[in-house]
Structures are given as C-alpha cells and as structure tokens.
Amino acid sequence: MTGKALTKNPSVLAWVDKMIALVKPQQVVWIDGSQEQIDALREEGCRTGEMIRLNQEKLPDCYLHRTAVNDVARVEDRTFICCPEEKDAGPTNHWMEPSAAYKMLEDIARGSYQGRTMYVLPYSMGPVGSPFAKYGIEVTDSIYVVLNMVIMTRAGQAVLDALGDSADWIRGLHCRCDIDESKRYICHFPQDDTIISVNSGYGGNVLLGKKCFALRIASYLGHKEGWMAEHMLILGVEDPKGDIRYVAAAFPSACGKTNLAMLIPPETYRKKGYKVWCVGDDIAWMRIGPDGRLWACNPENGFFGVAPGTNEKSNPNALASTRRGTIFTNVAHNLDDNTVWWEGLDKNPPRNALNWKGEKWDSTDGSKGAHPNSRFTAPAKNCPCVSPKFDSPEGVPISAIIFGGRRARTAPLVYQSEDWNNGVFVGSIMASETTAAATGAVGVVRRDPMAMLPFCGYHMADYWAHWLDMGRKLGDKAPKIFHVNWFRTDDEGNFLWPGFGDNLRVLEWILARCEGKVGARKTAIGYVPHVDDINREGLDVSRDTLAGILNVDKGLWLQEVDGIRAFYARFGDRLPAELTRQLDKMDAALKA
Ligand code: GTP
Ligand code: SPV
Ligand code: MN
C-alpha cells in the first residue's frame, strides 16, 4: 500500500492535506489502480468483514457486500444543491446555503476517520485523455467504495498523469461516519467543483463519480460550457447490412435502461443479422461534434445494475457481465455453494441461505432474499455485447433520443415528437411510477422530466432552456425525439407488452422514422405507429392488444394537461415560454 502522494499537482496536494486535517485518518493510501493494490484491498475488505469472497470457481473475483439496513438506496430528501442563491437551485432541488452547508458537513466529518484509513482515489469520467473526459478525486474511508469506483470509472495513476498540474478536477469527500440517517447528507457545490457525502455507504450516495459528479455537477458544467449530461443509456443497433445507428434513452431509475442497453434481439431479428451494441447503461455526456451532429460518450466504465429480475431470459448479457470481477450488494447469499441469488434469477431460491440483511432466510415464508434495490457492480468489458466504440474518445453519433417511463396507462408504447422543441416538451412532461432505487414510496406516479428530477444540478427551467438552445445549435442535424412506455398493464396489472428483447421492434420503428422510411398516425400528442408497422413476426401479442397499447386516450391526456399545468406553475417566470406554447398546443389538439 502506498502512503506516498502519487502526484506533485499543488491543488491536489493542498486539498488532500486539508481533508487530512479535517477527518484525521490513521493512515493515507493513494490508489494507483494496480492489480496488486486491488488484490490487497479485497483481502483487507474480507478481513474486516466489509466484503465476502464468493465461490472463486463459479464466480471468480466476485464479492458480496451488505450495506446497513437503513442505507439501501439514494436519499433524495437528503440530497442538496448548495449554490449561492436558493432561487438558482430551482423548485425541484433541495437547497442549502454553501457556507452553512460546509460548516455543518465539516462538523460531521471532523475526526470521523480516526483509527481508519483514508483512500485517495483519482478517477476519470470518460476515457482518459478523451475530449469528453473530466477528472475527479474522491477521498473515502470505505474499501467498498474504492473497489466499486475502480470498476465504475477509470481510476489510478494514469488519471493523475493526465491531470498534470491542472486545478480543473472535482473534489469529493466521503465519510461513512456512523451511517446515521439523521445526519446523512449528499451535498453538491457546483460553483466549487465539490461534493461532500456523509453517513452513507450505499452506491448512488457514495460512488461520487456517478450521480453526484457525472449528472449533478456535470449537468451544471454542461449548461455553462454548452454540452449535456443526461441520465441516459447509449446503444447501437446494427442492421443486416452492417450499418450501426446509435440511440440514447432516458428512463427514470429502475425503469429499464440497463435492460434496453444490452438487449438480445428476438430470434427473427437475430436470423436476419441484427445486433445490439451497448455503449452505456446509465449516463450519457453529449456534445456537438465537428460535423454538427450530437455525439455521446458514456463516462462510466462499469454497470451498477439492479439485480432483481436479471436472468438468463430477461437479460443474459447483464447476467454474463456479473460472472467475474463483480461486487454484489444486498443480494441473498447461497451458503451451499457460496454464490448469490436474487428474486427473478431463477425459480429455485436456495434453501440454505442468508437474506440481504445477513439473516438466516427461508424463502417459503414469503419474505425477500434480495433487497428490491440490490445491485451488481460489473466491469463493462465483461459484457458480451459491449460496443467496439466503448472507449472511443469521440463517442458515437446519436440518431434518436428516447424518453420513457413506467406508466400503467396514459402513455402509448411509442410516439414521436413533431420536432426538437416538441421533443423537449415531451421530455419535460415525463412522468413515471417511483421505484426502489430511491427511499420513499414505490409505485407513485410523479413528474420526472428527462429522468433528471433527482439529478439536475441547477434550476430545472434553465435546464429546459438549455435543451431548447442545444436544438437551435443542432438545427437540422438534431436527433429525432421519441417517447416509449414498456409498462402498460391490463386491469389485473399484467404487462401488455413483453418488453426486454422485443423492445427492438420499437427501436426498429424509431430508426425507420429517423430515416423517413415509415409513415405514422398524427395524434394530439405526436406521431404514433400504424399498428402494422410494428413487426409482429414471432411476437406473442395480438394485433388488438398492440392497437390497444398504441392508443392515445384523450380523457387521460386531458387529465395529464391539468397535472402538467400545475407542475409548470412551480417554475414561474423561469419556465421557457416555448414550453407553455407547446402545452397549449397539445391541450387545443386534445380538445379539437
Ligand atoms: P437504474 O440503474 O436504477 O438507473 O435502473 P435502469 O433504468 O437501468 O433499470 P433496469 O434495466 O435495471 O430495470 C429495472 C427493472 O425493470 C428490472 O426489474 C427489470 O426486470 C425491469 N424491466 C426492464 N426492462 C423491462 C421491460 O422492457 N419490460 C418490463 N416489464 N420490465 C422491464
Ligand atoms: C439510479 O438510481 O438511477 C441508479 C443507481 O443508477 S444509483 O447509483 O444508486 O443512483
Ligand atoms: Mn440510474
């Protein structure tokens, strides 16, 4: 282990010294990213009980971790944007005045590493040296965080070498403290390039490169610098001719990004030669390229995916990604063969097992083995369909942007916006049922614009204005914008659309629309497919059912209009007039 600083960068050294003085660690370890160091940390994590080494024949280099039972998801009500003026955080963010926030956080952090090790972890979001890349340093007292960050980002010495003497990097302090919920705070200081997270050990709260940096801080930087940071997967669809077109899709947490990003085409498509390539499953950074098109890069290097529901049928690529070098969090532990299990993996829950809390578990009593927000942290390179462009410094060109949510009714399977501005409107009015990815009630419909409600680092109305502005700059090279909903149900709550691999049928229509190769039906909300233009070959859905989920129910949409007006009213004068105009237009079309 190395106690010696791995850089001479004065801004880095000064900040690390300041952190040392604050949290008072017993020792300091710089993470160089070497295999020896990772192995030693795994060893150490197993010794302290933070990690459990799994069956090394069945799951080589795989580990299990359990968080505290009060610390299993993102905490949106304890997540703050600490910009100088409250009005600039906007009505959808929690705000704290920066100097008050620093004081409160420093009081919590002070001395909290006593007797513990401080890990200093340099990491890059985006391939090191790429024009997209931005660097960060996370200081943490958790081996679990280090081992996750090493999978989720490009971490180690190469990052410091690329950073050189620059002061342009994101400062991140994480302190586990006592995992005390009442003192848990996830705070962002966009003006200071700083993130401070205390009293949590769960993924999205503590892997500071992910939601904190790559979305909240990066969305602020994107607004300032003219690019976009979005909660989007990126995938490429290869057609039988070998042409690949890329789409980016924003769905709220636990609404299907990882699954869509790695989908396996239905058999009829596979036979014809279709392939899907995964570029990213959660976050997209997008810039206008030299050719005037929108180019996207996945700043991450791994997948922090939802475990429950992942199986050989629903997502074999995700499952394959988790077979080596993976950290499982809050899943069930099969003691017979020292492997892992979660609901929806297969129909045979282990008999001799511990649940996600580490308690002896009997599946026949109806309790869950894995937490609904249990996760795997898997290296992207494990994924059988990882795109050859995964490390491409310039990213991939985007043909279509897709918004989507979890709506039992209202939203049809797919529709296309009329143009970019109308597409921004479609994104701004997104709504979805809440999931276990964040603490709080599950299954409640809420507005989640662009799937960014919990992740936008500044005023949401300014964010929408930024989207409109990007459209002006892109002009006729702008991607086409669509909306999908895989989650329509019947009266008994059964899904009407099979989803997963079959979602390629919808992607095919979307790409055909981008190229003007297929017609559509104009409705009050946008363009909906003619029923027979969605390929039903080999699909277990009747024409009537398909027609039903493509239907736009005017009554339900008029109720939506009321909800949207109330939502928009919260943004006052800052709401772009264009969005009100779009809403009035939809309202009038519904009433016509
Ligand atoms: P985050 O990592 O939280 O951002 O989630 P995500 O958007 O990547 O969601 P993910 O792909 O992990 O899916 C979450 C849940 O939705 C899982 O339980 C999936 O089984 C389920 N799911 C994903 N795609 C579909 C689909 O097409 N249809 C249905 N019915 N369920 C789906
Ligand atoms: C999400 O909640 O959208 C996630 C998981 O991708 S977390 O990293 O916890 O944010
Ligand atoms: Mn996510």
Side-chain angles (χ1 to χ4, degrees):
M1 302 259 168
T2 166
K4 207 170 128 268
L6 298 180
T7 178
K8 296 199 169 78
N9 181 312
S11 63
V12 173
L13 295 176
W15 181 77
V16 170
D17 279 346
K18 203 170 130 194
M19 294 305 108
I20 292 172
L22 176 68
V23 299
K24 301 198 172 60
Q26 188 174 49
Q27 59 164 343
V28 178
V29 171
W30 288 70
I31 301 300
D32 60 19
S34 67
Q35 193 57 49
E36 292 102 296
Q37 193 185 38
I38 292 168
D39 289 342
L41 286 169
R42 286 167 163 171
E43 233 13 92
E44 171 75 3
C46 291
R47 206 183 52 72
T48 63
E50 254 179 285
M51 320 283 292
I52 296 166
R53 189 191 308 272
L54 295 166
N55 183 322
Q56 294 297 295
E57 262 153 45
K58 292 187 175 173
L59 295 169
D61 295 327
C62 290
Y63 294 80
L64 169 65
H65 171 80
R66 298 189 193 104
T67 65
V69 294
N70 70 353
D71 189 29
V72 293
R74 284 183 293 100
V75 279
E76 295 181 359
D77 53 339
R78 309 199 66 89
T79 298
F80 293 83
I81 302 300
C82 308
C83 53
E85 302 241 25
E86 179 166 16
K87 64 176 171 37
D88 294 326
T92 56
N93 278 316
H94 299 292
W95 174 81
M96 232 188 278
E97 193 279 315
S99 58
Y102 279 123
K103 175 162 189 323
M104 178 197 68
L105 294 164
E106 284 165 9
D107 286 348
I108 293 171
R110 188 166 295 112
S112 73
Y113 280 36
Q114 245 151 32
R116 296 185 183 184
T117 301
M118 171 189 277
Y119 300 99
V120 182
L121 179 114
Y123 65 94
S124 174
M125 299 314 290
V128 178
S130 140
F132 280 94
K134 296 209 171 266
Y135 306 129
I137 295 186
E138 175 165 357
V139 154
T140 177
D141 56 344
S142 161
I143 289 180
Y144 170 75
V145 167
V146 173
L147 292 175
N148 272 274
M149 286 289 285
V150 162
I151 297 171
M152 293 304 296
T153 72
R154 285 108 173 149
Q157 183 68 54
V159 176
L160 291 172
D161 295 346
L163 182 65
D165 271 346
S166 166
D168 183 11
W169 50 279
I170 303 299
R171 289 104 177 112
L173 171 65
H174 167 235
C175 304
R176 275 189 308 165
C177 305
D178 311 311
I179 317 288
D180 176 349
E181 288 164 270
S182 68
K183 292 188 187 153
R184 185 169 299 154
Y185 294 97
I186 321 298
C187 292
H188 307 72
F189 301 83
Q191 283 72 13
D192 303 345
D193 294 329
T194 295
I195 305 158
I196 302 180
S197 164
V198 294
N199 275 298
S200 175
Y202 165 76
N205 298 331
V206 300
L207 309 180
L208 300 185
K210 196 173 178 58
K211 295 312 197 325
C212 299
F213 177 172
L215 288 179
R216 296 193 191 97
I217 299 282
S219 61
Y220 168 84
L221 293 176
H223 180 226
K224 209 167 71 170
E225 298 167 1
W227 53 283
M228 307 166 93
E230 302 296 333
H231 192 201
M232 290 181 180
L233 67 94
I234 308 164
L235 67 79
V237 178
E238 180 173 341
D239 67 17
K241 284 182 293 184
D243 292 336
I244 306 181
R245 272 143 323 149
Y246 296 91
V247 306
F251 310 153
S253 302
C255 289
K257 288 183 299 302
T258 303
N259 278 275
L260 189 68
M262 300 178 193
L263 77 79
I264 301 229
E267 195 182 337
T268 61
Y269 284 81
R270 284 204 302 277
K271 280 195 185 140
K272 284 184 217 154
Y274 277 91
K275 285 196 192 97
V276 165
W277 298 105
C278 174
V279 182
D281 82 324
D282 199 50
I283 297 175
W285 284 0
M286 303 196 286
R287 292 176 178 274
I288 299 175
D291 62 357
R293 290 190 293 172
L294 190 63
W295 289 69
C297 164
N298 168 17
E300 300 190 283
N301 201 26
F303 310 119
F304 186 60
V306 176
T310 306
N311 62 52
E312 202 46 73
K313 273 222 179 73
S314 66
N315 194 345
N317 284 324
L319 194 62
S321 306
T322 67
R323 297 298 92 179
R324 61 175 57 242
T326 293
I327 300 172
F328 298 91
T329 302
N330 292 340
V331 298
H333 190 191
N334 181 344
L335 297 174
D336 278 337
D337 64 352
N338 191 23
T339 58
V340 287
W341 192 86
W342 50 78
E343 278 65 26
L345 174 63
D346 55 40
K347 297 211 164 78
N348 314 305
R351 283 160 176 275
N352 178 24
L354 302 179
N355 67 13
W356 66 272
K357 299 177 188 168
E359 301 160 344
K360 189 80 189 112
W361 173 60
D362 178 1
S363 69
T364 59
D365 70 8
S367 67
K368 285 205 188 323
H371 187 276
N373 191 40
S374 54
R375 298 259 167 180
F376 53 79
T377 314
K381 66 171 189 313
N382 281 2
C383 181
C385 70
V386 67
S387 165
K389 298 274 183 196
F390 184 82
D391 287 314
S392 159
E394 70 275 11
V396 294
I398 297 298
S399 301
I401 287 175
I402 306 172
F403 296 118
R406 202 180 262 273
R407 293 302 294 273
R409 300 166 72 191
T410 317
L413 177 64
V414 56
Y415 67 102
Q416 180 183 6
S417 65
E418 277 171 38
D419 52 26
W420 180 274
N421 283 4
N422 181 242
V424 175
F425 168 71
V426 167
S428 78
I429 66 168
M430 266 170 70
S432 191
E433 294 162 21
T434 51
T435 66
T439 56
V442 169
V444 182
V445 175
R446 71 170 184 185
R447 300 267 152 221
D448 188 351
M450 281 85 170
M452 283 289 278
L453 180 74
F455 307 120
C456 184
Y458 60 107
H459 198 297
M460 184 66 80
D462 296 354
Y463 166 81
W464 291 330
H466 179 46
W467 265 83
L468 293 168
D469 193 42
M470 289 298 290
R472 272 187 291 276
K473 290 184 184 144
L474 285 158
D476 59 5
K477 295 197 169 131
K480 303 283 185 277
I481 302 182
F482 298 80
H483 187 282
V484 299
N485 176 21
W486 316 138
F487 299 94
R488 284 280 284 259
T489 57
D490 62 17
D491 292 339
E492 277 86 58
N494 304 304
F495 292 118
L496 289 164
W497 176 250
F500 301 100
D502 286 314
N503 293 334
L504 182 59
R505 299 170 192 275
V506 173
L507 293 182
E508 187 188 25
W509 183 82
I510 286 174
L511 290 170
R513 284 296 291 170
C514 290
E515 300 192 343
K517 286 185 182 158
V518 66
R521 183 165 63 90
K522 191 162 187 215
T523 73
I525 63 167
Y527 294 99
V528 172
H530 296 297
V531 184
D532 294 318
D533 285 338
I534 300 286
N535 180 3
R536 288 204 321 282
E537 205 185 322
L539 179 70
D540 193 17
V541 174
S542 73
R543 189 176 187 280
D544 278 356
T545 302
L546 186 56
I549 58 179
L550 287 171
N551 178 44
V552 176
D553 182 321
K554 285 195 179 180
L556 287 176
W557 276 93
L558 281 168
Q559 286 174 30
E560 282 295 285
V561 169
D562 293 339
I564 298 162
R565 282 206 195 281
F567 182 59
Y568 273 2
R570 296 173 58 194
F571 300 90
D573 289 354
R574 256 158 119 151
L575 181 76
E578 174 63 11
L579 294 184
T580 311
R581 200 183 70 78
Q582 294 281 344
L583 176 58
D584 291 342
K585 201 178 73 176
M586 183 174 88
D587 193 3
L590 286 164
K591 286 175 179 149

